Amino acid sequence: MKKGVKMFHSRFASLMPALNERLYRLYGGRADFHALLSGLAALMEKSSEARSADLLDRDRHSERDPEWFLRESGAGMMLYVDLFAGDFAGLEARIPEIAGLGINYVHLMPLFRAPKAHNDGGYAVSSYRETDPRLGTIEGLGSLIRRFHEAGIAVVLDFVFNHTSDEHLWALGAKRGEAKFRDFYFIYPDKADAEEWNRSLREIFPDTRRGSFTYVEEAGGWVWTTFNSFQWDLNYGNPEVFLAMCGEMLFLANLGVDVLRLDALAFVWKRMGTSCENLEEAHLLIQAFQYVAAIAAPSLEFKSEAIVHPDEVVKYIRRDECRLSYNPLQMALFWEALATRNTRLLRHSLARRWRIAGGTGWVNYIRCHDDIGWTFSDEDARELGIDGYGHRHFLNLFYTGRFPGTFARGAAFQLNPETGDCRVCGTMASLCGLEEAAELALGGDSRAELYGDMAAARMLMMYAVLLALPGLPLLYAGDESALLNDSSWERDPVKRLDSRWIHRIALSPSRKETFPAAAEGDGSWLETRQRRVFSGLKSLLALRRGESSFGTGDISFFDAGDEGVLGFERDSGRVAVLANFTERTLRCRRRIGSDLRDLIGGGPVREGDECELGPYQVLWLK
């Protein structure tokens, strides 16, 4: 018996009972339950047998080092292939640059075939086995993944499993009236049925469409479309959908994908009379997917994308569900603290919610392809005397440039005309004030120098804190070089309805000093600060890789003596981090003894109970 086959049968014997238990809770009352188990067993065995020798080696390595993503050497980047490098061949040529920055985890944004016009940035998938032809072929993607692996870089792709595009083979079958595929979705000829569901559902994109259903004449009814009219929600109450999506998942695993980002996972199960978010069945479904992967492709990991209440986010992070999770609370509260110059809500909330199960990890980030939603807990805010609704309104005004004295230049996303609620879009640099400073420089304003320096300092401060946190730090391509917003989206007939394109920027070719380089023609004033951010970040990444304390999972937050300063310790107090979130010089307490060295500045820290932090300064004290 081949070693790979023996490994599969061993995993099947040990893990199938747990998978069976979860599937029984979801589908056990159906007459076709045993047919589901039989079909699934055959699919897993066939997929396991198809894994290459290289992937079998990765399976064995992951079993020996299951917490590879928590190492101090870990650093990620998310990018769009077309915006970053044009196509798969262009990206392959830039792998040495990516590795040279210190990146060993790359998230390639949606790259599968999707409708040409309306596709939600690629999240309306028309085929999970065909790539966008402008990027290359599925075989080219497989080759690209192998090149990344040879460079020591793990590859992440999106698994858009809550919905498909209305051009997917299954949706086309439903439009033709084929009963099998109509049962893959929620289609109601009578609007009253759709309205009965709508009564308990919240609107996700109220600026685009009201309600969660769209009338589709070709389908002869109202189709469940949580996000956009061209994205049809899948009906996981039908076990055939689960089986079909397992096939798509294992195809991606055998392509060599290391991590799947589970898109919109909070919405995948529907039950009448509920919000259809974060239901128990959703967790069971994701756990079932995880056990299928653990049996047939054990090196495949899941990353949760749950942009919901913080108490719900942590429920998806388990060894048998998602071992990685975005940290939307950390992201949102970084920006909240930057606007308020006060870290108390950041410290209070993270101290309460940071701890997760052993063997799992946060993916910490500052910006991403999506908007910024203020996902902090109203309960946490109330304990500090903060009104959550009013505070979110302030933050929206601040980061869209509508609050007096703001440094930010962002755009509103999905503005609700009834409540005034919205989310925020923009590049890290523009939200940190570099665009404001560039405007001043263009007008010959003498304040431009100071404002530009402060903007660069804000960015490096946030990066220094991000890299000191437990988990995997994730950069958004373009932000590492402090690129500004791209306003051309407003003039594009396809993009102008989606303000997220303001920070989905086509990046210029690389140059020696920066990666990617500042745009040609920006001038020395802006390029100087962009290069400062890039070189500072590269140095911080190198420092992180050399400090084993950052490879541990523990963190302890403490009161630094000034609300403008965030303080925490790592590795049982071996390293303390102090970060000034203000443009003022502050004095604060440090929590560990004398004979300290600042890992960032390289110098000793003087004796005494207090130390001084300049504007936006960060100390890594050891």
Side-chain angles (χ1 to χ4, degrees):
M1 181 182 293
K2 292 182 180 180
K3 195 168 185 179
V5 175
K6 185 177 180 180
M7 289 168 59
F8 167 77
H9 286 294
S10 175
R11 294 192 301 267
F12 186 91
S14 63
L15 299 177
M16 192 62 193
L19 173 57
N20 183 72
E21 188 268 333
R22 284 153 179 81
L23 291 175
Y24 186 82
R25 291 172 65 184
L26 292 171
Y27 305 116
R30 295 180 58 103
D32 56 359
F33 177 67
H34 291 290
L36 166 66
L37 294 182
S38 177
L40 185 58
L43 172 66
M44 291 189 293
E45 184 169 21
K46 182 179 179 181
S47 296
S48 179
E49 289 174 352
R51 286 180 75 72
S52 67
D54 288 346
L55 293 180
L56 291 175
D57 284 343
R58 295 184 79 82
D59 290 341
R60 286 187 283 269
H61 178 76
S62 70
E63 291 175 338
R64 291 193 300 269
D65 184 21
E67 299 178 14
W68 57 269
F69 46 80
L70 298 178
R71 304 286 177 248
E72 67 272 13
S73 58
M77 174 177 280
M78 59 192 311
L79 58 89
Y80 286 92
V81 174
D82 57 338
L83 298 178
F84 189 86
D87 55 20
F88 295 148
L91 182 56
E92 184 173 326
R94 298 190 71 174
I95 289 176
E97 296 177 58
I98 295 172
L101 182 60
I103 301 299
N104 58 13
Y105 170 109
V106 169
H107 180 174
L108 306 181
M109 301 301 291
L111 43 70
F112 294 104
R113 184 164 65 82
K116 288 185 178 179
H118 302 294
N119 57 44
D120 190 24
Y123 285 97
V125 177
S126 298
S127 172
Y128 298 90
R129 304 192 184 209
E130 299 173 79
T131 56
D132 182 337
R134 295 170 298 179
L135 303 179
T137 64
I138 195 71
E139 292 78 16
L141 175 60
S143 175
L144 175 65
I145 292 172
R146 288 192 291 275
R147 299 291 86 77
F148 271 119
H149 286 171
E150 290 169 2
I153 299 172
V155 176
V156 187
L157 294 184
D158 292 277
F159 189 45
V160 185
F161 74 126
N162 175 72
H163 49 264
T164 71
S165 91
D166 59 359
E167 295 182 6
H168 192 281
L169 181 68
W170 303 337
L172 296 178
K175 291 178 182 179
R176 290 192 298 267
E178 298 177 30
K180 173 182 177 179
F181 293 119
R182 288 182 69 85
D183 287 345
F184 269 44
Y185 303 97
F186 297 86
I187 304 174
Y188 297 103
D190 190 342
K191 186 179 181 180
D193 292 323
E195 289 301 320
E196 188 174 359
W197 282 102
N198 265 332
R199 277 194 283 271
S200 60
L201 306 177
R202 69 182 175 105
E203 294 176 328
I204 305 302
F205 290 161
D207 191 42
T208 302
R209 175 185 41 80
R210 309 314 298 266
S212 295
F213 286 81
T214 300
Y215 184 76
V216 180
E217 187 173 354
E218 295 170 280
W222 293 84
V223 181
W224 197 317
T225 54
T226 294
F227 298 102
N228 288 288
S229 60
F230 48 83
Q231 291 167 300
W232 290 16
D233 285 44
L234 288 163
N235 175 16
Y236 280 100
N238 175 3
E240 286 296 320
V241 173
F242 172 73
L243 186 60
M245 289 304 290
C246 282
E248 306 307 297
M249 176 185 73
L250 293 177
F251 173 82
L252 297 178
N254 282 356
L255 204 61
V257 178
D258 299 284
V259 179
L260 288 177
R261 168 192 175 274
L262 302 190
D263 180 66
L265 79 175
F267 298 85
V268 293
W269 196 274
K270 326 295 188 189
R271 192 190 327 135
M272 180 69 77
T274 72
S275 66
C276 296
E277 297 181 41
N278 305 305
L279 298 180
E280 179 187 4
E281 294 92 337
H283 291 281
L284 292 171
L285 183 73
I286 297 162
Q287 290 166 29
F289 274 117
Q290 197 278 336
Y291 275 106
V292 170
I295 292 171
S299 60
L300 182 67
E301 296 288 355
F302 289 170
K303 177 167 62 176
S304 163
E305 189 251 358
I307 313 302
V308 292
H309 190 282
D311 290 342
E312 297 295 336
V313 171
V314 296
K315 293 179 182 178
Y316 293 94
I317 309 170
R318 298 168 37 139
R319 287 178 179 269
D320 63 354
E321 196 162 339
C322 296
R323 298 203 319 129
L324 285 165
S325 174
Y326 281 120
N327 197 344
L329 181 65
Q330 163 267 313
M331 180 276 296
L333 290 182
F334 264 34
W335 292 107
E336 185 273 343
L338 196 70
T340 61
R341 283 78 163 180
N342 192 305
T343 67
R344 58 182 184 145
L345 183 58
L346 171 63
R347 176 167 58 89
H348 179 73
S349 297
L350 294 189
R352 173 171 291 180
R353 292 184 170 83
W354 194 275
R355 189 178 300 278
I356 50 179
T360 65
W362 289 112
V363 175
N364 304 306
Y365 63 111
I366 299 171
R367 287 298 293 117
C368 68
H369 73 291
D370 219 337
D371 56 274
I372 300 174
W374 308 111
T375 54
F376 59 82
S377 162
D378 282 0
E379 297 84 354
D380 289 354
R382 276 196 297 271
E383 290 177 12
L384 300 177
I386 300 171
D387 169 55
Y389 178 83
H391 201 47
R392 289 184 178 89
H393 183 64
F394 155 70
L395 292 168
N396 285 330
L397 292 176
F398 187 94
Y399 282 109
T400 55
R402 296 176 290 158
F403 191 83
T406 182
F407 49 72
R409 296 291 185 268
F413 177 66
Q414 291 296 324
L415 179 66
N416 188 318
E418 295 178 3
T419 66
D421 186 34
C422 70
R423 279 104 80 189
V424 172
C425 299
T427 67
M428 184 180 182
S430 288
L431 295 176
C432 281
L434 192 59
E435 186 169 329
E436 176 199 37
E439 293 168 356
L440 294 174
L442 192 62
D445 193 311
S446 61
R447 296 174 296 172
E449 291 295 320
L450 175 61
Y451 283 29
D453 291 343
M454 285 294 103
R458 290 184 189 106
M459 295 188 70
L460 289 173
M461 179 274 292
M462 288 206 286
Y463 276 136
V465 179
L466 182 81
L467 297 180
L469 293 171
L472 181 78
L474 183 68
L475 315 178
Y476 179 58
D479 281 345
E480 82 291 338
S481 288
L483 298 189
L484 303 184
N485 289 336
D486 178 6
S487 61
S488 67
W489 70 277
E490 296 176 291
R491 301 185 293 276
D492 188 308
V494 174
K495 298 177 181 177
R496 64 184 177 83
L497 297 178
D498 189 343
S499 58
R500 290 174 296 182
W501 286 103
I502 197 171
H503 57 255
R504 296 173 180 175
I505 301 173
L507 305 176
S508 64
S510 65
R511 290 199 298 228
K512 292 181 181 178
E513 298 87 350
T514 61
F515 164 75
E520 294 287 354
D522 280 340
S524 60
W525 183 92
L526 180 56
E527 283 194 24
T528 296
R529 281 143 186 91
Q530 290 172 322
R531 291 168 189 256
R532 182 184 304 167
V533 170
F534 176 82
S535 61
L537 171 60
K538 188 172 182 179
S539 296
L540 288 169
L541 284 166
L543 286 171
R544 183 182 194 270
R545 289 195 299 275
E547 181 47 62
S548 60
S549 289
F550 290 143
T552 64
D554 72 314
I555 186 170
S556 175
F557 295 90
F558 61 84
D559 181 356
D562 190 296
E563 290 183 343
V565 177
L566 178 69
F568 58 88
E569 294 177 346
R570 297 292 314 279
D571 195 14
S572 302
R574 290 180 177 86
V575 173
V577 176
L578 294 168
N580 184 352
F581 273 73
T582 82
E583 56 271 90
R584 296 175 290 113
T585 296
L586 300 177
R587 296 182 67 81
C588 61
R589 294 193 303 269
R590 70 170 194 271
R591 281 275 300 252
I592 52 182
S594 58
D595 301 321
L596 301 177
R597 182 169 58 91
D598 175 22
L599 296 176
I600 296 176
V605 177
R606 66 177 179 79
E607 300 287 342
D609 294 328
E610 293 184 342
C611 62
E612 188 173 273
L613 281 84
Y616 300 112
Q617 184 179 4
V618 180
L619 301 177
W620 290 353
L621 300 176
K622 185 172 183 180

